[in-house]
DNA sequence: TTGTAGGCGTTATCAG
DNA sequence: CTGATAACGCCTACAA
């Protein structure tokens, strides 16, 4: 781990000036003889450019930060999976921040943009506060927000459309003949919880179905809480024939409880999840789930940011990625008669490629 | 996005020298009056330190790279989840590399260490080649390898013990009274495939069970291939009473096929997976799975690296993380009578916290 | 074609 | 306690 060689070392060894070394290294016109000497010296010394010094001079780090709320959340991981290759192929390194769902940490990340250790930032905040907006307005590097920002905020942003997503699911259930469609939601004081709850109500209205408080159960976005919520719901409304769950974990909890209660899925009760995570394809019966396009949003965000990094100016852009419904066994047809369809889930096969090395 | 203020800007404004500014900013002894002037100027200008310039001067970037083969692989993600907080709390940023299982990319990462854009590297290579070893020997920054390296390699490394892992599973099945225990493996020319296959054979031998070629089926590490393999196995050996699967996806495929064949799990056939991914807890019946401690390995690797970054020298260290068996419904007792136990899986509840923002 | 010199933004040494 | 000044490693006018 001796001190690495610099262009000075090379210059000495090759008997030329550091300017010539730099020229050769950057492919600028130089005499053949000089090129040879420099290359030889560089090779022998095992020279590698110092990225920090280059950055200081060029004012570009070739790094982009992605700030996610939670490294454990599959939705963010889906974004990450798409963002990574896009940035990589454009020559950028990815700096990963996990803000642990702490707003102060998000603010820190925004603030640290001023340190110029990255050329740009993609951020998926839980909630956009006043502090966010101020820092965004003053940001010294391009930022793309994945999520919604207030109208008028001058930032590129890529949003999901959970309203339409819920509607796709409800329409699907309705088309299957279900009429007592319940909603199992997470807390209403979260952005997704509120949005999904409202969308459910609207979708019912548009179909001419009555909104019934008894059919709505609030729990939390976890499996155990989902199970508990569904158990209560079932006790109150035994005749429910479909469950719209606010995420996949809740839906898994629902399957647990339905099974224990002797209900068949989907014959007696159809179940729909949201987010279309890997778990949806893995469960049994496999889970119909609303994809809000996390992967797509990540990809679009990365591309928007790259545009800015290429110097493209212009008005802030707002992209909405359409949701889609991944239909699986938990709603469509008699699951118990179906032959297994291992390749069904669209995420199968790219998970867990080789196990882990010994 | 005007050019940000530097210590020069501040110095001018406060009417002091840049040296004084630097002192104040770094908390070095300075007259109160000077401190006040500098702080005031810095505040008004919204000054933020330039990380690149600091790095150039200090020769430390406060960044660490983690190179994984595949951003989609749950085993690596488990490592990432542990590595991230450890580094963060020590003040390091995480640079994420996905090498897409391409050896050349891994070599690139190793080579780029010379660019000094990070202070250290954690790498989980698929396979360690000669090229790896050469670069590791010449590395200009500390490296920790997650995985096995040849004896004598002078690098810290953290390894799993899949041999013991397989044995835990086989012993468990044996204790449950299973005697016709089959192995559904991935390709034998992969490191995990070979290791797991050999471990299976040994474990049987130690229990005094005969090794039977008919009980071994090779497929690939995916769900569909796993299903196919199990179907063949079942056709050949209808009386098999336990399946040791080389990873969780194969095990999910096994569940698909067993269900279609009318076999009950675990009454007729017990099933064990490996890697203990989120999918294991999500499936139904939930899957007993051998954890090779991916999370733990990530954590240990990060800690080893931090030691080195703190300047601790000494001989390369080799840590082996012990595997453990996560027992769930697919082996233990009559799954169909059990009440749902949504909180059972040890990864539940930290997955998909809030869904994705609208 | 090549070398000298200045600067990117900080930190740190060394006189005053 | 403070202010010049010299690095850190690289790039790039400008001059030779």
């Amino acid at each position: 781990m001796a001190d690495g060689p610099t262009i000075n070392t090379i210059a000495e060894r090759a008997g030329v000036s550091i300017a010539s070394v730099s020229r050769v290294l950057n492919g600028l016109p130089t005499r053949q003889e000089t090129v040879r000497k420099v290359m030889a010296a560089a090779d022998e010394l095992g020279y590698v450019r110092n990225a920090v010094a280059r950055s200081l001079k060029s004012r570009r780090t070739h790094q982009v930060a992605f700030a996610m709320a939670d490294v454990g959340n599959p939705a963010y991981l889906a974004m990450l999976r798409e963002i990574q290759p896009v940035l990589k192929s454009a020559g950028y390194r990815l700096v990963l921040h996990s803000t642990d769902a702490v707003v102060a940490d998000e603010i820190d990340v925004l603030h640290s943009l001023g340190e110029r250790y990255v050329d740009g930032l993609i951020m998926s905040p839980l909630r956009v506060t006043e502090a966010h907006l101020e820092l965004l307005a003053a940001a010294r590097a391009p930022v793309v927000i994945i999520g919604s920002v207030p109208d008028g905020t001058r930032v590129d942003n890529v949003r999901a459309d959970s309203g339409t997503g819920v509607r796709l699911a409800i329409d699907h259930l309705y088309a299957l003949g279900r009429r007592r469609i319940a909603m199992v939601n997470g807390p209403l004081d979260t952005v997704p919880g509120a949005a999904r709850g409202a969308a459910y109500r609207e979708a019912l209205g548009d179909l001419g179905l009555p909104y019934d408080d008894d059919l709505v159960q609030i729990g939390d976005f976890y499996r155990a809480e989902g199970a508990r919520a569904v158990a209560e719901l079932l006790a109150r409304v035994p005749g429910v024939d479909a469950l719209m769950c606010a995420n996949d974990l809740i839906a898994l909890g629902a399957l647990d409880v339905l099974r224990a209660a002797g209900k068949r899925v989907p014959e007696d009760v159809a179940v729909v999840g949201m987010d279309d995570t890997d778990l949806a394809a893995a469960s049994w019966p496999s889970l119909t789930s609303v994809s809000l396009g996390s992967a797509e949003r990540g990809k679009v965000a990365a591309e928007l940011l790259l545009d800015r990094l290429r110097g493209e100016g212009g008005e802030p852009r707002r992209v909405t990625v359409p949701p889609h419904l991944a239909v699986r066994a938990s709603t469509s047809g008699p699951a118990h008669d179906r032959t297994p369809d291992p390749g069904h889930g669209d995420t199968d096969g790219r998970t867990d490629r080789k196990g882990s090395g010994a």
Side-chain angles (χ1 to χ4, degrees), chain A:
Chain A
M1 281 194 221
D3 247 29
T6 74
I7 53 172
N8 283 287
T9 329
I10 297 182
E12 270 181 49
R13 179 152 186 146
V16 299
S17 75
I18 62 168
S20 290
V21 175
S22 178
R23 275 185 216 106
V24 172
L25 260 26
N26 292 311
L28 297 178
T30 317
R31 184 157 40 119
Q32 270 311 313
E33 174 58 11
T34 311
V35 173
R36 207 178 357 260
K37 284 192 292 187
V38 169
M39 294 306 257
D43 272 4
E44 290 165 26
L45 292 166
Y47 173 78
V48 182
R49 276 184 177 78
N50 182 312
V52 177
R54 304 192 95 199
S55 294
L56 180 58
K57 180 71 192 169
S58 67
R59 293 154 162 281
R60 312 204 93 218
T61 60
H62 296 286
Q63 293 191 156
V64 163
F66 174 45
M68 44 160 67
D70 176 6
V71 251
N73 186 320
Y76 297 121
L77 291 174
M79 295 176 194
L80 177 61
R81 285 208 277 260
E82 297 293 322
I83 291 173
Q84 212 279 335
V86 174
L87 293 182
K88 180 179 179 180
S89 68
Y92 285 90
R93 285 187 294 262
L94 175 62
V95 176
L96 190 67
H97 290 284
S98 181
T99 58
D100 301 323
V102 174
V103 173
D105 281 20
E106 285 180 8
I107 301 298
D108 272 358
V109 169
L110 239 24
H111 190 74
S112 71
L113 259 191
E115 295 181 21
R116 320 222 72 131
Y117 65 96
V118 286
D119 298 337
L121 168 68
I122 299 172
M123 173 174 256
S124 182
L126 279 182
R127 206 168 333 117
V128 177
T129 68
E130 266 308 314
H132 284 88
L133 294 176
E134 276 178 39
L135 284 167
L136 284 173
R140 296 230 170 79
V143 178
V144 176
I145 295 288
I146 301 183
S148 294
V149 294
D151 286 348
T153 310
R154 302 193 55 74
V155 187
D156 289 329
N157 85 105
V158 184
R159 48 185 66 187
D161 180 356
S162 61
T164 302
V166 170
R167 168 148 331 184
L168 285 177
I170 304 285
D171 288 354
H172 170 66
L173 292 169
Y174 187 90
L176 292 171
R178 310 296 165 133
R179 292 297 179 271
R180 313 212 59 191
I181 304 173
M183 168 96 193
V184 190
N185 204 351
L188 295 180
D189 59 359
T190 61
V191 175
R196 293 166 195 194
Y200 163 76
R201 184 166 198 154
E202 264 186 50
L204 286 189
D206 291 353
L207 288 169
L209 291 178
Y211 176 84
D212 179 354
D213 266 337
D214 275 354
L215 284 175
V216 175
Q217 185 73 40
I218 309 295
D220 206 339
F221 290 109
Y222 307 101
R223 185 168 180 172
E225 280 68 27
R228 195 153 25 241
V230 172
E232 278 187 48
L233 181 74
L234 227 47
R236 193 170 61 234
V237 194
V240 63
D241 61 11
L243 298 178
M244 167 80 242
C245 302
N247 79 355
D248 285 346
L249 284 177
I250 293 177
L252 290 182
L255 293 181
D256 293 331
V257 170
L258 292 170
R259 188 148 39 218
K263 303 273 193 184
R264 291 168 306 161
V265 175
E267 292 83 346
D268 302 325
V269 182
V271 177
V272 180
M274 279 193 93
D275 290 343
D276 194 26
T277 60
D278 281 1
L279 303 179
S283 83
W284 197 84
S286 63
L287 198 62
T288 292
S289 187
V290 177
S291 165
L292 294 177
S294 297
E296 179 72 9
R297 277 182 288 156
K299 189 176 173 205
V300 171
E303 284 162 353
L304 287 183
L305 185 61
L306 286 179
D307 281 353
R308 296 295 182 194
L309 291 176
R310 277 188 216 100
E312 286 168 40
E315 288 298 296
R317 284 160 301 176
R318 160 169 306 180
V319 178
T320 299
V321 171
H324 69 266
L325 192 65
V327 177
R328 301 200 181 83
S330 69
T331 61
S332 81
H336 299 270
D337 305 341
R338 301 171 98 215
T339 49
D341 181 3
H344 191 183
D346 46 20
T347 56
D348 278 347
R350 82 173 193 215
T351 308
D352 203 351
R353 259 193 238 299
K354 289 298 169 194
S356 41

